[in-house]
Amino acid sequence: MGSLLSLADRFDRFARSVGKGAGWIILPLIFMIVFDVVTRKVDFIRLYFSDFAINYGYSVSTILQDLEWHLHGALLLLTFGFAYLMNAHVRVDIFRENLSRRGQAWFEFWALVVMAIPFLAMMLIYSWRFVALSYSQGEGSESMTGIPWRYVIKGFMVIGFAVVLMAALATLARVSAYLFGTPDQKVAAHRSLSIFAHEDPASRALEEARAETERAAHEALHGSQGGKG
Amino acid sequence: MWELIYDHLYEFIGAYMFLALALMLFTGMPVAFALGGVALIFGLLGIALDVLDFAVFFQVIQRIWGGDGSSGAIQNPILVSIPCFVFMGTMLERSRVAADLLHILTVMLKRVPGGLALSVTVMGTIMAATTGIIGASVVMMTLLALPTMLKQRYNAPLATGTLAASATLGILIPPSIMLVLMANLLAVSVGNLFIGAIIPGLLLSGLYFVFIIVACGLRPSLAPPLPEGAIRLRPSDHRNTLSFIAVSGGLVAIAALGQTAGLASWLNWPLAAFLGIFFAAMAIGRKEGDTLLGGILKGFVPPIFLIVLVLGSIFAGWATPTEAAGVGAFGSLILAAANGTLTGTVLRDVVHRTALTTAMIFFIFVGATAFSTIFRNVYGEDLIIALIEWLELGSWPLLFMLMFAVFILGFFFDWLEITLIILPVFAPVIKALAPDFAPHLGLDAPTSIADRQFVEAQVIYWFAMLVAINLQTSFLTPPFGFALFYMKGVAPSEVKMQEIYKGIIPFVILQVIGLLIVLEFPELALWLPSVMLE
């Protein structure tokens, strides 16, 4: 269980840094749109670009417009996992918020095992086939003058779903540690989980204090031979 | 026996799918997981029953991807506007724009009964025209105005109700990400839907305004007036007023001259003058500080700048909604920089929150696409149409039933789930009934196919607007109104949840009245687009 938790931490760190990094894509996206709008209104730049299209076979405006949705796609696909770890995905909390924290953890456990992980695995497998098909066809832009290598951006689908899957697995490991682990692991898992409803600092501190007492009681009962791994 | 079960499942698998989704949603797992998991399980069930084969999962991926003018999430130039609008809204909430606006409105409305509540409504309306997202704007407006209102001994239900209703106007008044998603799902023009939403949005804010004036006029104890001298402004410096007028006048004159002197192709004169006046206003507003002139310049110029930039460029046909979103996001950066609030920490926080909101929206999009693809392939939509035919309702009772269904769903779900799951199911039904509604919209019954398409498009715009108003209400309806929860999270602790619930009731009634008005007078939604897009 301990090594599982450290693996979860590694997955978590990876998914988080991918998501945080990908978030910055919004800035080039904005600048690119502004650049595209402005240059299309300014005559001499437009003429220069149309010469470019004649000479090299690529249209700057089409490339920019393709690039806009390429960036958009990369941005959203790479942030799915990060958002799950931050508990930013919408939940219908009507009944869940009345459950104990342990009950919520059980719900999350089954949701991950039955629904989320199979679904994400399916998405991963089929998006891989999707990319493979695109690669074998040598797919490019529909407009011929846009960005070629369509399979590159399609590949982000595979990466994106792999990252969410990692976030889901990390959460599964932590939820399991919270449910089945030793008191120590329970505290560690609870600290790194953010799936619970009503997780305000006060109730979290209370919970940690309770776990601490539980651990002390556990040690008093079983002696301090250390965790069972 | 087995054959019977098999036949039953074969026929009603779509119904069970919907039922399973409802159950799974209420377990409180992330909505996208519930949608995707149900899609996978019923996809496999469909394969076991020989309704589907494994190619359907490939189709799911293709539909999530988009392309070929379809409504996917990724290869879809329209939806690029969503991250940009989210960034714009989040950035604006971190700049002081709203605070400055509220300040000057309070000064101007201090003699009117319920002046503070009215200021909040006006601020909500103006800010709504600059942001398209909700969660953060409820938090921001509550933090900004609620403590002051309570200190003035405003009735707490009135104060919280006004704040919640006004802050959620942003989802309806363009630019709004909800309208972008709706246009995408209904395959209609975003610009048209944006323009159509202006009058209904203003109508609702007008209803709030009238309600507050009447309520506070009848019972002054609800909203005690500000004491004399509560807000004291320094007198304006007349030289600054004069120099602002001189600069603006000069710029307008130069622009007019440039435009007529045959230099129009060289520079976009009106735009240049507009930008010049904006920067002059910002500079003079900062120099003036806390005076009437400074307040007006700092309060009104930034939002007007953004509204002109975003809505103006869409209406004038200079930019597509996506480009307008990018330009608006850039404008919000400029505003923050001009206000001196653009620091590294703020930028990092805004980028971070934009990423989370975008991911949240599109992850549900992914799940909903998986769900609706499988649902369609197990003939779930045919099942719904059969159910509606079996009910034998006329077209009007059916429309009322759909509206009522959306309203009730709004008690439990968010606009996002309702839009993405329900709209694709309801829209074809309404489209099929379009000729029945034609006389109500002032159109002749269609005779040719082209005619019919026009009528269908008009009916869909009207229907979209009704759903949009209805969905704004979903933020406000207890027990599960998002706006109310966000508000409770940041309100001072003496405000009880019961008071928030009590305060929202009149505004929910106003929403229903607004909905009925647009239902009765479709011109409110259809007239402006028909004029603007001639």
Side-chain angles (χ1 to χ4, degrees):
Chain A
M1 194 64 95
S3 58
L4 212 57
L5 272 182
S6 74
L7 186 67
D9 285 342
R10 220 168 301 156
F11 276 10
D12 176 294
R13 261 202 303 282
F14 181 72
R16 250 175 234 270
S17 49
V18 167
K20 273 188 188 163
W24 289 98
I25 294 177
I26 189 76
L27 292 181
L29 175 59
I30 291 168
F31 296 140
M32 209 168 290
I33 293 175
V34 172
F35 180 79
D36 183 33
V37 173
V38 170
T39 51
R40 259 186 299 141
K41 305 286 174 210
V42 179
D43 275 342
F44 71 93
I45 304 179
R46 198 165 48 91
L47 290 175
Y48 175 78
F49 282 168
S50 71
D51 281 350
F52 185 86
I54 292 161
N55 293 336
Y56 299 98
Y58 287 107
S59 142
V60 175
S61 195
T62 315
I63 285 191
L64 282 177
Q65 277 167 20
D66 270 0
L67 205 51
E68 280 162 22
W69 67 256
H70 276 60
L71 290 182
H72 159 80
L75 167 68
L76 62 95
L77 286 168
L78 296 182
T79 47
F80 286 163
F82 175 45
Y84 179 55
L85 290 172
M86 299 288 287
N87 203 23
H89 290 309
V90 179
R91 297 167 183 268
V92 180
D93 257 342
I94 305 178
F95 298 115
R96 202 176 79 109
E97 65 184 8
N98 298 325
L99 292 175
S100 69
R101 198 150 288 157
R102 219 180 148 71
Q104 293 183 21
W106 271 113
F107 265 92
E108 197 74 7
F109 179 80
W110 287 113
L112 283 167
V113 170
V114 179
M115 311 285 278
I117 290 171
F119 169 64
L120 292 173
M122 184 272 281
M123 298 298 281
L124 191 59
I125 294 167
Y126 280 88
S127 58
W128 174 259
R129 293 190 187 177
F130 188 61
V131 179
L133 182 70
S134 169
Y135 184 75
S136 69
Q137 292 171 339
E139 194 185 6
S141 172
E142 288 86 357
S143 60
M144 307 310 286
T145 54
I147 300 176
W149 319 301
R150 179 58 50 83
Y151 41 86
V152 174
I153 182 65
K154 285 190 171 172
F156 275 84
M157 236 175 161
V158 178
I159 302 172
F161 285 118
V163 174
V164 202
L165 191 57
M166 283 165 81
L169 289 172
T171 309
L172 181 66
R174 287 167 177 174
V175 169
S176 314
Y178 183 73
L179 288 172
F180 317 122
T182 61
D184 265 341
Q185 289 165 349
K186 224 172 176 173
V187 176
H190 179 227
R191 198 168 290 147
S192 51
L193 277 173
S194 51
I195 56 165
F196 300 113
H198 297 317
E199 191 73 307
D200 51 302
S203 66
R204 166 163 274 200
L206 198 72
E207 178 79 9
E208 280 185 8
R210 187 180 303 146
E212 199 71 7
T213 338
E214 214 172 277
R215 196 173 60 93
H218 185 88
E219 267 174 17
L221 273 178
H222 300 275
S224 46
Q225 304 110 329
K228 283 170 283 188
Chain B
M1 180 63 198
W2 283 113
E3 215 156 282
L4 232 85
I5 294 175
Y6 176 88
D7 283 347
H8 176 79
L9 271 181
Y10 191 93
E11 195 172 349
F12 291 106
I13 180 169
Y16 284 110
M17 199 172 164
F18 232 108
L19 206 66
L21 176 67
L23 279 176
M24 288 303 146
L25 284 177
F26 283 115
T27 64
M29 71 175 81
V31 168
F33 287 162
L35 284 161
V38 169
L40 176 64
I41 291 168
F42 279 80
L44 293 175
L45 188 64
I47 291 166
L49 291 170
D50 265 342
V51 190
L52 308 171
D53 61 78
F54 278 100
V56 79
F57 294 130
F58 196 78
Q59 199 186 330
V60 168
I61 297 285
Q62 270 172 329
R63 289 203 40 209
I64 290 170
W65 178 264
D68 309 324
S70 75
S71 58
I74 296 158
Q75 188 182 348
N76 188 336
I78 296 171
L79 296 185
V80 178
S81 61
I82 289 185
C84 295
F85 278 138
V86 171
F87 180 89
M88 179 172 108
T90 317
M91 191 80 220
L92 271 182
E93 269 130 28
R94 291 301 304 263
S95 60
R96 279 200 318 265
V97 173
D100 287 339
L101 181 62
L102 182 66
H103 178 71
I104 188 66
L105 284 168
T106 317
V107 172
M108 292 168 78
L109 290 167
K110 66 180 171 190
R111 300 204 191 286
V112 188
L116 210 45
L118 294 176
S119 311
V120 165
T121 306
V122 176
M123 171 176 81
T125 313
I126 295 177
M127 291 305 288
T130 62
T131 69
I133 50 174
I134 287 300
S137 67
V138 175
V139 170
M140 173 198 68
M141 283 179 58
T142 307
L143 287 173
L144 211 58
L146 191 57
T148 325
M149 291 170 101
L150 294 175
K151 211 169 75 194
Q152 294 302 324
R153 315 193 66 75
Y154 264 59
N155 173 271
L158 177 75
T160 53
T162 309
L163 273 167
S166 309
T168 49
L169 278 174
I171 203 75
L172 183 61
I173 295 182
S176 133
I177 54 170
M178 178 171 80
L179 294 179
V180 174
L181 267 183
M182 279 185 159
N184 182 51
L185 288 170
L186 298 170
V188 297
S189 122
V190 179
N192 209 327
L193 217 47
F194 270 14
I195 300 173
I198 292 177
I199 295 183
L202 292 179
L203 170 79
L204 284 174
S205 115
L207 286 174
Y208 305 163
F209 205 85
V210 172
F211 166 74
I212 294 167
I213 290 190
V214 171
C216 298
L218 290 177
R219 284 182 55 195
S221 63
L222 286 176
L226 285 175
E228 217 33 65
I231 306 168
R232 203 176 285 281
L233 293 177
R234 286 191 291 111
S236 308
D237 185 343
H238 287 294
R239 275 174 305 173
N240 282 333
T241 318
L242 284 179
S243 63
F244 177 65
I245 292 171
V247 168
S248 314
L251 281 169
V252 171
I254 292 172
L257 210 68
Q259 196 72 0
T260 49
L263 293 169
S265 63
W266 189 66
L267 185 69
N268 189 336
W269 291 96
L271 187 65
F274 169 70
L275 290 176
I277 293 176
F278 165 70
F279 284 112
M282 289 303 281
I284 293 173
R286 263 188 122 170
K287 209 162 99 189
E288 271 285 276
D290 201 18
T291 67
L292 188 62
L293 176 70
I296 290 175
L297 290 181
K298 282 193 302 184
F300 286 115
V301 169
I304 289 174
F305 167 73
L306 263 196
I307 292 171
V308 170
L309 213 56
V310 177
L311 296 184
S313 60
I314 296 176
F315 296 167
W318 290 343
T320 64
T322 301
E323 290 163 354
V327 173
F330 189 67
S332 74
L333 273 171
I334 294 179
L335 271 183
N339 255 339
T341 46
L342 186 65
T343 62
T345 332
V346 168
L347 190 63
R348 191 172 314 121
D349 183 49
V350 169
V351 164
H352 188 116
R353 285 200 286 152
T354 304
L356 290 180
T357 309
T358 310
M360 182 269 280
I361 293 169
F362 281 100
F363 204 39
I364 297 189
F365 196 108
V366 165
T369 307
F371 182 86
S372 67
T373 307
I374 306 284
F375 188 67
R376 187 167 302 165
N377 277 292
V378 297
Y379 306 106
E381 291 184 350
D382 297 338
L383 208 60
I384 289 186
I385 290 174
L387 172 75
I388 288 171
E389 279 170 358
W390 177 76
L391 287 173
E392 285 186 357
L393 291 171
S395 38
W396 277 98
L398 185 68
L399 181 65
F400 274 100
M401 197 190 77
L402 295 189
M403 283 299 135
F404 186 67
V406 172
F407 184 76
I408 295 297
L409 286 171
F411 280 78
F412 306 102
F413 301 107
D414 201 7
W415 68 270
L416 197 52
E417 295 97 282
I418 302 180
T419 313
L420 288 171
I421 303 169
I422 300 296
L423 207 57
V425 178
F426 282 2
V429 178
I430 292 297
K431 216 177 222 174
L433 296 173
D436 293 356
F437 294 113
H440 184 63
L441 269 57
L443 301 167
D444 294 328
T447 47
S448 64
I449 292 175
D451 236 21
R452 187 180 166 101
Q453 276 170 352
F454 175 75
V455 170
E456 274 178 4
Q458 293 292 306
V459 170
I460 285 294
Y461 282 126
W462 175 54
F463 177 68
M465 213 45 62
L466 296 175
V467 175
I469 297 174
N470 212 330
L471 288 180
Q472 189 211 337
T473 318
S474 78
F475 278 99
L476 305 175
T477 38
F480 210 64
F482 263 91
L484 310 181
F485 282 152
Y486 286 131
M487 172 169 274
K488 177 68 185 128
V490 291
S493 52
E494 74 253 32
V495 178
K496 300 276 170 303
M497 200 64 198
Q498 273 80 2
E499 289 178 311
I500 296 180
Y501 282 160
K502 195 178 147 205
I504 203 61
I505 293 170
F507 288 93
V508 171
I509 295 172
L510 291 178
Q511 290 292 121
V512 175
I513 294 174
L515 182 63
L516 291 175
I517 293 177
V518 179
L519 200 65
E520 177 60 33
F521 304 104
E523 302 82 13
L524 291 171
L526 300 176
W527 173 75
L528 200 57
S530 72
V531 180
M532 299 280 293
L533 301 173
E534 261 303 279

